[in-house]
Amino acid sequence: TLERLAAAGAQGVISERGAAELSDAFRFLTHLRLREQLGHFAAGREPENRICYDDLTWLEQRRLRDAFRTVAEMQKATVVRLHAV
């Protein structure tokens, strides 16, 4: 995914800034997911993809909101671009 985002930015499919922001969002979301899964594994529970928002620090909650905002903005830009074609 990171390679595809970089290629999309380099080829002008999306802006380079958009590609960088989506890459940062992807890294952060993946970090949260893997940390949660490792915690479940260490506790002898089945790993899952759900993250409890209330268990995140204030900073993580803010970064999570920012990551989702970035994804939503890029989705809107994609819809606009596709409808213009």
Side-chain angles (χ1 to χ4, degrees), residues 13-75:
V13 175
I14 59 176
S15 68
E16 289 189 16
R17 178 177 171 225
E21 289 178 0
L22 281 174
S23 294
D24 289 343
F26 177 79
R27 283 185 190 98
F28 178 68
L29 294 170
T30 300
H31 166 78
L32 288 180
R33 185 173 141 247
L34 291 176
R35 184 181 73 190
E36 187 72 13
Q37 288 176 341
L38 288 172
H40 279 233
F41 183 74
R45 298 189 317 245
E46 185 74 23
E48 57 182 54
N49 292 315
R50 294 169 36 154
I51 297 167
C52 182
Y53 182 80
D54 293 333
D55 290 343
L56 301 176
T57 67
W58 175 86
L59 182 59
E60 289 171 332
Q61 290 175 356
R62 181 174 177 171
R63 287 188 66 195
L64 181 61
R65 287 191 303 269
D66 289 344
F68 284 137
R69 187 176 301 114
T70 296
V71 171
E73 288 171 0
M74 291 302 291
Q75 286 174 328

